[in-house]
Amino acid sequence: MAVDPLWYKDAVFYELHVRSFADGNGDGIGDFVGLTQRLDYLADLGVDCLWLLPMSPSPQRDDGYDIADYRGIHPQYGTLEDFRTFLQEAHARGLKVLTELVLNHTSDQHPWFQEARASRTSPRRDWYVWSDTDQGYPGVRIIFRDTERSNWTWDPVAGQYFWHRFFSHQPDLNYDNPEVREEIWRIMRFWLELGVDGFRVDAVPYLLEREGTSCENLPETHQVLRWLRQRLEEAYPHQKVLLAEANMWPEDVRPYFANGDEFHMAFHFPLMPRLFMALRLEDRKPVVEIMERTPAVPEPCQWGLFLRNHDELTLEMVTDIERDYMWDEYAKDPLARLNLGIRRRLTPLLEGDRRRVELTNALLLSLRGSPFLYYGDEIGMGDNISLGDRHGVRTPMQWSGGYNAGFSSADTDRLHAPLVANPLYGYPVVNVAAQSQSDSSLLAFMKRLLRVRRQKARLFGRGTLRFLRPANHRVLAYVRELEGEVVLVVTNLSGAAQAVELELGELEGAIPVELFGGSLFPRVSHAPYVLTLAPYGFYWLELRWL
Amino acid sequence: MMEELLSLLRAAWADFLRLLAHFLPRLLAMLIILLVGWAVAAVVRAVVRRVLGWVRFNALLERAGTGALLTRAGAPTADQLVGSLVFWVIWLGFLLSGLHALGIAGAEALATDFLRFVPKLLVALLVLVAGFALANFLWRVVLLAAVNAHIPQARLLGALVRVLVIVAAGAMALEQVGMAETVVQTAFAIFLGSVMLAAAIAFGLGGRHAARRFLEEKLLAPPRERDTDGPSHL
Amino acid sequence: MAMRRPSLLSDTLLRDLMAAGQADVLVGIPTLDNAATVRPVVRAVTKAFATHLLRERTVLLNVDGGSKDGTPELVRGAGLEPGDLVQETHPLRTVHRISTPYHGLPGRSGALRTLFIAAELLRVRAVVVVDPDSTALDAAQLFHLVAPVLKEGVDYVRPVRPRSPWEGPLVTQLVRPLLRAAYGQRLLEPVDTELACSGRFAAQCVRELAWEHPAAEHGLDVWLTSAALRRGQVLAQVPQAHRPEPERGRQPPLITVFTQVVGAVLDSLEATAEDWLPVRGSREVPVRGALSPVGAARPAFDAQALVRSFREGMMLLRPLLEEVLSAQVRQELWAVVTGASPAISDGLWARCVYDVVAARHHRVMGRDQLAQALRPLYQGRLAGFLSETAELGAAEAEARLEALALAFEEQKPFLIERWNAGPRGGP
């Protein structure tokens, strides 16, 4: 059957770390053999596409985002052959696979950088950005301000400063150099030929530098990206997907969709903190505001929505007042704060409240966009904020209550990161095996949720969204509509039962059918439609005209 | 005498040469126009046939029932016919302008008249084709309904409907091209009138009893449908 | 915006459905002035609920086309009668019995549509449609009809009736062999008015069937059947009682039935061509239960009238048939017409029908016209069959029907050829 070229608009994505997912060879580190063995679990869960965090050889000083060889698989994760097998098996189960494309920078261990620093005349010298002073591009913000002092770092071997927007061991590539662009395209092609379905492209706003600018979102950067997309479409017309990571306001991300000829998808960063804020405030205002501030995107483009990911819950896209509120409410423990964010997983953020976890997931899967789930959140895994950097949310997947949580047969001391073992979220309590046994577990709920969403995938992925404005501000309600199909989503953001009167005038005559249980609700009339909701309760009501 | 004759002959020869010099370019021009016209007409004919082939014009007419008529008349297929028609219209237009170039008096007026006539002709043809299609369609409906209702004169009824519609369409077409309008109208009115009269007389006199029975059955008798008396076919 | 048409469900019905919530089995009885016969039917259904389906959630839904003889009241009031109650059998759950008028014109289409919508909204596992004049129905039979859907995951169940080979000739001479040759499954009663189907199938039909088509009254069951046949649904047949002949006054004229049924068959075949074109041969549709021997009743068809109608039609429609039938078929038919006692052979009859199917595909004329043009031929075929089997016993006549069905299968390449040729396939 022909694949819909817009499949990514209907898909549910699942982000995972090969290292933390499943260990197939018993060395304490997750690998492709282990991941391949767990593909049935992912297919059964009901996700459509996997997004793998970096898997190339790397000194692992930034969790793999410091790449030392673009065409290889990190030996700890297996071989290229293992990866090929994994891809085949995933495709056989109808799962697509996105991998990381870290193109802004390399590791300082990368042979290119080693060659470049060795001599000023090296042909690779111009592959990076060098300067004799550290005064260039003043005023460009420092992203990792907890660890870095400047975007310039002195390299004693090269005898010059090199430019880096992230860690000082991650020199930025010089995209003014056509050789660099060509090489990146050849690398993309290498993975696409293997069968990868697309890339999540890391740190796209920072590719080029120009004096007197913020060095972010430059027109020249867009040119490079459009050029890559053009090459992609020439080689694989309507087959592959590019997903931009641009941690910006939606109106600043919008140019990355261009006229549908740059990125297919981009993450919607500011929605995520506002979902949490709305829940805490018991008020729909933040969510409605940010969604209405979100510009329309060209038809083939799509927003990627997420609740949590492998990074901290970033609070860059909120006001200072909002950030203080978020910190006070969600990160009372200063240890939970990192940079401008909160490094916690979904369930601990929501204080382990199952109802709120269900509600936020139901929102994620019914708002307009393609949802991204983060591995482990489907069983309500906890985190370990005493681990450094963002490692606390990257602990091994908890498969069972048994030895090493079923993650690895290695000596427990050799696991790449300690298992979460606290009494609340520890693997003896929270694990896949136990939750698979029960129809009332979070995992069972997530499967149901994903199954229902898949029935209406086109509507939720592509349909229009219109917010209703009932007087009760604790109720967030919206109408999703596509090609004559209508779903009304009503959610109670508060911890108390609520009644709400919805004005559904133009939907008069519709018969609401609740999508999870199939129950009928009274027909919509011209009078306000009264619904009552349990604490943190929600309805997905399909409106039918029969 | 001889001198005179010679001079006369010379003068005549000179006149002839002058005339020839005057006429030859025009003739040449006309020939060129004719040649170009023929080429243009031929190209347009080919294009028209190709386009009609694409839109499956023949099948279309076939469905409307006109195609069968052509086949029965031994005429070429419909797209061939339309192609030829287009060819001749264009070619005739060029011929007239060629005559005009030749300097023949009245040719100009003829050409303009002709150009004014062409759209009317096309509309008339369209009316005719639509009339045929409609006639055929109605003929089928009436015939089938009549046969299945066991009306004995089914065929006559069908033919009558068909002829009426075709005659009406023909009258409209003729009127469109502006041919003896009043004559056509009068003839059509007389034709229709006489048919109606004949039908009325026939029904009134010959079918008096039948008509009475029909009315009685329809209006007075309890609803009793034909065909329901037998056992069920399902 | 969504299509906002007036609802088919009354507020009362919707409330009733909300109250019922969800059901396993929905038994639907479409009625229109059936007061005379409906009581025993309701009684049989109620008894089936109380005995065979006592663990299932059951709903009896009577969809009424506007009866003036108090049928709905009878349905609501009817039920078990003294003597029906077997000790210690009563349903565990609340039994819902709903009687509702439906919107739109009275007829099978509106009734079944309402019924299927209700089935979808109640998320039933099985729907059963029973006739209000099925007086021979008993609880066990009803249960047998629905059991394959409930217990084996069958999607579509049609009854098998112990009918004689002379009953229902439109089915046996035309619809049955044609559908069998086309879709390759031997369904004996493709257009019976009783059936059982899965909730999933009902929901599909709600979405996909042309409920508002003018031919839906008699064509609906053809559409249901071809929808079931084309999609490779799991089919089954269940022996049921002989149906009483409908009362004379209730029977629509042949031409209406013929046009709608044949028209629906033509439309179905046209719409599902890619499903049936590759099919060759046929296989049995499994029968659940023991078949009763076929009956021997000979309905009193007026053979003379049939022949007359055939000859007359052939004469009068000759120019029209020339557009429909291929040359060879025309020639053979003409030989039959002029013969002393016309008998259209199995092969010729199959090719006549196939010519009409192909003519529909090539849009030689409208479907109703094609069906009407076929009727005289059908009458000729029927007359021939009647006279040929006049001396035969039921079993032998039944064998002739099987031979006809085989002829349809054998001639299928002729259909494919005509289908793929131009509109005027015959020279």
Side-chain angles (χ1 to χ4, degrees):
Chain A
M1 218 173 71
V3 177
D4 184 345
L6 299 181
W7 63 267
Y8 50 88
K9 294 194 77 169
D10 312 330
V12 175
F13 293 74
Y14 186 91
E15 175 189 5
L16 69 91
H17 218 332
V18 179
R19 185 173 60 182
S20 302
F21 203 65
D23 175 17
N25 64 357
D27 64 354
I29 297 166
D31 49 38
F32 279 108
V33 174
L35 174 55
T36 309
Q37 287 162 358
R38 298 293 184 178
L39 280 173
D40 283 332
Y41 165 77
L42 294 170
D44 181 51
L45 177 61
V47 296
D48 304 293
C49 181
L50 308 181
W51 157 29
L52 308 184
L53 291 173
M55 57 191 192
S56 291
S58 149
Q60 296 286 8
R61 295 179 63 191
D62 182 20
D63 227 30
Y65 284 98
D66 45 340
I67 288 177
D69 172 10
Y70 277 104
R71 286 186 174 78
I73 295 290
H74 196 295
Q76 288 177 335
Y77 303 162
T79 63
L80 210 51
E81 204 40 55
D82 292 342
F83 177 69
R84 212 190 296 265
T85 312
F86 154 74
L87 260 186
Q88 278 164 4
E89 292 295 317
H91 286 160
R93 287 166 179 76
L95 293 166
K96 301 203 174 264
V97 177
L98 298 191
T99 60
E100 282 282 347
L101 183 65
V102 186
L103 44 63
N104 180 62
H105 49 260
T106 68
S107 162
D108 57 4
Q109 303 302 310
H110 198 289
W112 299 343
F113 189 71
Q114 296 300 332
E115 280 180 48
R117 78 197 315 189
S119 130
R120 288 202 181 214
T121 56
S122 159
R124 299 264 193 238
R125 184 72 168 198
D126 194 35
W127 282 38
Y128 293 88
V129 183
W130 300 99
S131 169
D132 290 327
T133 73
D134 59 357
Q135 301 306 311
Y137 314 127
V140 174
R141 72 186 174 113
I142 296 161
I143 296 167
F144 289 153
R145 59 183 206 180
D146 283 6
T147 42
E148 299 298 328
R149 293 172 168 276
S150 165
N151 286 322
W152 290 106
T153 290
W154 174 256
D155 184 48
V157 184
Q160 268 188 310
Y161 290 94
F162 66 87
W163 175 255
H164 59 88
R165 287 307 302 274
F166 295 93
F167 290 117
S168 57
H169 55 79
Q170 289 168 324
D172 275 27
L173 283 163
N174 175 17
Y175 276 88
D176 279 323
N177 185 343
E179 284 176 37
V180 172
R181 301 199 290 262
E182 284 293 343
E183 179 60 20
I184 287 295
W185 166 242
R186 280 193 292 273
I187 289 162
M188 286 168 72
R189 185 137 199 174
F190 172 80
W191 293 105
L192 294 170
E193 275 306 302
L194 277 174
V196 164
D197 297 290
F199 300 103
R200 179 265 195 187
V201 188
D202 183 58
V204 293
Y206 315 111
L207 296 191
L208 283 149
E209 299 76 29
R210 290 290 180 269
E211 205 60 68
T213 68
S214 68
C215 293
E216 296 181 5
N217 310 321
L218 297 181
E220 292 85 351
T221 296
H222 285 289
Q223 260 174 22
V224 170
L225 294 167
R226 270 201 301 277
W227 177 84
L228 281 174
R229 170 70 185 269
Q230 201 187 330
R231 303 298 297 264
L232 185 80
E233 289 302 325
E234 283 162 14
Y236 307 93
H238 305 302
Q239 291 172 42
K240 309 290 185 177
V241 174
L242 294 181
L243 161 64
E245 186 224 24
N247 191 346
M248 311 256 164
W249 289 100
E251 55 265 38
D252 296 328
V253 177
R254 173 63 186 80
Y256 288 94
F257 293 123
N259 299 314
D261 56 358
E262 201 167 314
F263 278 97
H264 298 83
M265 299 178 72
F267 284 118
H268 195 306
F269 276 92
L271 171 66
M272 175 250 308
R274 277 166 185 79
L275 281 171
F276 291 102
M277 206 170 355
L279 202 56
R280 202 65 180 182
L281 291 165
E282 303 199 337
D283 193 324
R284 64 170 183 259
K285 187 166 170 269
V287 175
V288 176
E289 270 178 3
I290 194 66
M291 289 305 279
E292 295 197 329
R293 206 183 141 173
T294 304
V297 298
E299 204 263 328
C301 297
Q302 176 77 319
W303 291 106
L305 311 181
F306 60 97
L307 294 169
R308 293 295 304 110
N309 61 15
H310 61 286
D311 285 328
E312 70 275 15
L313 191 169
T314 173
L315 297 173
E316 286 172 271
M317 246 66 61
V318 296
T319 63
D320 291 345
I321 297 171
E322 290 169 332
R323 185 177 310 121
D324 287 343
Y325 179 77
M326 286 293 284
W327 266 340
D328 286 347
E329 292 298 331
Y330 281 107
K332 292 192 184 79
D333 185 346
L335 204 56
R337 301 178 190 179
L338 178 72
N339 298 324
L340 279 180
I342 304 169
R343 45 177 180 166
R344 302 224 66 161
R345 270 184 177 273
L346 179 65
T347 307
L349 264 177
L350 300 175
E351 300 164 321
D353 184 346
R354 172 78 182 271
R355 296 170 305 175
R356 276 183 276 170
V357 173
E358 291 186 0
L359 175 65
T360 45
N361 274 304
L363 282 171
L364 175 75
L365 268 71
S366 61
L367 283 166
R368 189 176 189 185
S370 294
F372 283 69
L373 306 178
Y374 184 52
Y375 87 93
D377 281 351
E378 75 272 23
I379 53 170
M381 255 172 72
D383 47 34
N384 183 352
I385 49 175
S386 62
L387 299 176
D389 196 11
R390 290 151 289 178
H391 296 301
V393 298
R394 301 174 183 178
T395 58
M397 179 73 178
Q398 293 164 197
W399 293 103
S400 74
Y403 184 67
N404 286 344
F407 164 74
S408 169
S409 58
D411 190 337
T412 302
D413 294 339
R414 297 196 52 185
L415 298 186
H416 78 85
L419 288 156
V420 174
N422 65 48
L424 217 48
Y425 301 109
Y427 67 88
V429 191
V430 177
N431 62 67
V432 172
Q435 297 200 11
S436 302
Q437 303 292 315
S438 160
D439 272 349
S440 59
S441 63
L442 179 60
L443 179 62
F445 167 80
M446 290 301 288
K447 283 187 193 175
R448 268 201 303 280
L449 191 65
L450 287 165
R451 201 178 56 237
V452 171
R453 191 195 191 269
R454 185 173 274 179
Q455 283 168 14
K456 300 270 167 221
R458 274 175 62 85
L459 173 110
F460 283 124
R462 310 184 194 193
T464 57
L465 184 150
R466 181 168 57 87
F467 284 108
L468 301 175
R469 289 165 204 284
N472 186 343
H473 64 260
R474 287 164 294 268
V475 173
L476 172 63
Y478 42 91
V479 177
R480 304 295 319 270
E481 185 161 357
L482 181 78
E483 293 160 8
E485 275 194 298
V486 183
V487 169
L488 168 66
V489 178
V490 188
T491 55
N492 176 8
L493 298 171
S494 90
Q498 297 292 330
V500 64
E501 288 190 332
L502 299 170
E503 296 292 341
L504 300 174
E506 75 281 23
L507 302 169
E508 192 178 337
I511 301 170
V513 182
E514 203 273 328
L515 277 175
F516 291 88
S519 298
L520 300 179
F521 277 55
R523 201 195 309 260
V524 175
S525 70
H526 58 276
Y529 198 77
V530 178
L531 281 173
T532 56
L533 294 122
Y536 301 118
F538 63 91
Y539 294 123
W540 289 5
L541 298 168
E542 180 178 14
L543 299 187
R544 303 197 56 184
W545 281 261
L546 286 167
Chain B
M1 177 70 178
M2 208 51 189
E3 284 283 307
E4 208 167 309
L5 186 68
L6 273 176
S7 86
L8 266 176
L9 276 176
R10 241 191 323 262
W13 178 243
D15 273 354
F16 174 70
L17 280 181
R18 210 175 324 118
L19 229 123
L20 206 66
H22 177 70
F23 185 69
L24 262 180
R26 281 160 187 265
L27 188 71
L28 208 66
M30 186 188 102
L31 283 176
I32 288 171
I33 287 171
L34 288 190
L35 216 68
V36 169
W38 185 85
V40 169
V43 167
V44 171
R45 174 174 58 185
V47 169
V48 164
R49 281 181 185 168
R50 180 68 59 86
V51 169
L52 291 180
W54 280 335
V55 302
R56 298 169 58 101
F57 185 67
N58 282 346
L60 217 72
L61 280 191
E62 197 82 32
R63 220 169 293 156
T66 328
L69 210 78
L70 290 175
T71 324
R72 218 170 299 150
T77 58
D79 55 353
Q80 296 280 332
L81 211 65
V82 172
S84 304
L85 191 77
V86 169
F87 174 83
W88 280 108
V89 167
I90 293 174
W91 169 235
L92 217 64
F94 274 95
L95 190 75
L96 284 171
S97 54
L99 287 179
H100 174 57
L102 207 58
I104 291 170
E108 191 173 357
L110 210 62
T112 23
D113 278 357
F114 177 72
L115 283 179
R116 226 173 281 151
F117 177 68
V118 166
K120 286 183 179 176
L121 184 71
L122 288 179
V123 172
L125 280 173
L126 217 67
V127 168
L128 215 55
V129 168
F132 267 103
L134 184 68
N136 219 44
F137 174 74
L138 289 178
W139 166 70
R140 269 185 207 149
V141 171
V142 169
L143 182 65
L144 282 166
V147 166
N148 280 304
H150 299 289
I151 295 173
Q153 295 308 323
R155 215 158 176 179
L156 183 73
L157 217 58
L160 199 66
V161 167
R162 192 182 207 173
V163 168
L164 271 180
V165 175
I166 289 179
V167 167
M172 280 164 73
L174 285 176
E175 193 185 327
Q176 191 53 233
V177 296
M179 260 188 203
E181 286 170 34
T182 45
V183 177
V184 170
Q185 271 175 22
T186 320
F188 179 64
I190 290 171
F191 178 76
L192 193 69
S194 52
V195 167
M196 285 299 161
L197 189 68
I201 291 171
F203 201 61
L205 297 176
R208 209 165 43 194
H209 301 293
R212 186 167 151 204
R213 204 170 56 236
F214 177 78
L215 289 174
E216 276 173 359
E217 258 179 30
K218 278 288 163 205
L219 298 177
L220 305 174
R224 184 187 71 90
E225 286 174 291
R226 288 167 163 278
D227 241 359
T228 55
D229 303 339
S232 168
H233 285 256
L234 279 176
Chain C
M1 294 298 270
M3 193 172 59
R4 310 280 153 78
R5 49 185 166 66
S7 178
L8 286 161
L9 308 184
S10 67
D11 284 343
T12 332
L13 174 57
L14 189 60
R15 261 197 289 279
D16 285 337
L17 293 178
M18 276 167 60
Q22 189 174 4
D24 297 303
V25 180
L26 173 69
V27 176
I29 310 179
T31 52
L32 176 60
D33 293 329
N34 296 101
T37 53
V38 80
R39 274 176 71 96
V41 180
V42 175
R43 195 173 141 201
V45 174
T46 316
K47 199 172 163 195
F49 287 172
T51 52
H52 296 89
L53 297 165
L54 75 164
R55 288 196 180 189
E56 277 78 10
R57 292 165 291 187
T58 48
V59 174
L60 168 66
L61 176 55
N62 163 230
V63 276
D64 188 77
S67 297
K68 295 201 172 57
D69 64 354
T71 303
E73 290 72 28
L74 271 175
V75 173
R76 280 191 212 104
L80 294 180
E81 288 168 18
D84 284 344
L85 267 179
V86 190
Q87 249 194 338
E88 304 204 7
T89 57
H90 62 92
L92 298 171
R93 308 169 184 270
T94 310
V95 173
H96 288 268
R97 188 185 297 171
I98 307 169
S99 180
T100 180
Y102 52 88
H103 294 197
L105 294 173
R108 188 160 174 81
S109 173
L112 258 64
R113 190 179 191 185
T114 308
L115 199 59
F116 280 17
I117 288 174
E120 189 188 350
L121 290 179
L122 292 175
R123 290 160 289 144
V124 300
R125 287 158 59 206
V127 191
V128 191
V129 181
V130 295
D131 280 352
D133 53 2
S134 252
T135 40
L137 187 78
D138 68 26
Q141 278 180 349
L142 182 81
F143 174 68
H144 288 145
L145 201 58
V146 71
V149 181
L150 281 180
K151 309 231 184 282
E152 303 166 45
V154 169
D155 291 296
Y156 193 72
V157 181
R158 280 290 186 180
V160 188
R161 312 255 179 213
R163 298 214 281 182
S164 88
W166 298 281
E167 287 177 287
L170 180 53
V171 176
T172 55
Q173 300 289 328
L174 177 51
V175 181
R176 184 196 290 170
L178 177 56
L179 292 182
R180 164 174 162 178
Y183 296 105
Q185 295 203 58
R186 294 177 213 158
L187 203 56
L188 293 169
E189 297 288 356
V191 291
D192 200 279
T193 43
E194 297 189 329
L195 74 143
C197 65
S198 64
R200 188 163 28 105
F201 182 78
Q204 257 179 25
C205 290
V206 168
R207 263 180 271 280
E208 293 169 13
L209 251 51
W211 297 96
E212 276 150 25
H213 195 284
E217 178 62 21
H218 296 287
L220 191 67
D221 288 281
V222 174
W223 287 332
L224 288 174
T225 293
S226 65
L229 285 168
R230 69 175 291 205
R231 261 186 281 271
Q233 312 269 17
V234 186
L235 272 63
Q237 308 188 94
V238 172
Q240 294 280 297
H242 194 279
R243 292 154 53 82
E245 181 98 335
E247 285 170 60
R248 279 292 144 85
R250 287 181 164 267
Q251 207 179 314
L254 169 63
I255 187 61
T256 312
V257 174
F258 191 88
T259 309
Q260 293 195 6
V261 169
V262 174
V265 172
L266 293 179
D267 274 359
S268 300
L269 291 177
E270 171 67 18
T272 60
E274 74 267 31
D275 295 295
W276 60 260
L277 276 172
V279 175
R280 295 289 179 279
S282 68
R283 61 189 156 88
E284 298 278 354
V285 173
V287 177
R288 303 274 185 268
L291 279 171
S292 344
V294 294
R298 289 177 193 259
F301 289 107
D302 183 348
Q304 289 307 311
L306 289 173
V307 171
R308 214 167 35 242
S309 192
F310 169 54
R311 289 218 165 102
E312 193 181 281
M314 281 296 293
M315 298 293 210
L316 294 172
L317 296 178
R318 197 170 175 186
L320 204 138
L321 288 172
E322 273 179 24
E323 295 180 52
V324 177
L325 302 175
S326 48
Q328 182 67 31
V329 170
R330 278 198 319 260
Q331 220 167 37
E332 287 177 44
L333 261 184
W334 204 242
V336 172
V337 176
T338 47
S341 71
I344 302 176
S345 72
D346 292 350
L348 179 59
W349 172 234
R351 277 179 289 136
C352 287
V353 173
Y354 285 160
D355 267 339
V356 172
V357 174
R360 166 74 186 87
H361 175 57
H362 297 301
R363 293 190 163 63
V364 171
M365 55 187 81
R367 46 160 257 170
D368 286 358
Q369 295 164 11
L370 280 171
Q372 287 167 9
L374 184 65
R375 192 193 70 153
L377 274 59
Y378 161 75
Q379 287 170 315
R381 163 68 199 177
L382 177 55
F385 178 80
L386 292 176
S387 75
E388 279 174 21
T389 55
E391 307 295 319
L392 299 182
E396 288 152 307
E398 192 68 29
R400 296 296 297 270
L401 289 181
E402 175 63 19
L404 173 66
L406 285 174
F408 267 80
E409 286 181 23
E410 273 163 32
Q411 295 292 336
K412 192 169 178 185
F414 173 82
L415 169 60
I416 312 272
E417 188 195 316
R418 293 279 286 132
W419 186 272
N420 293 325
R424 296 181 69 77

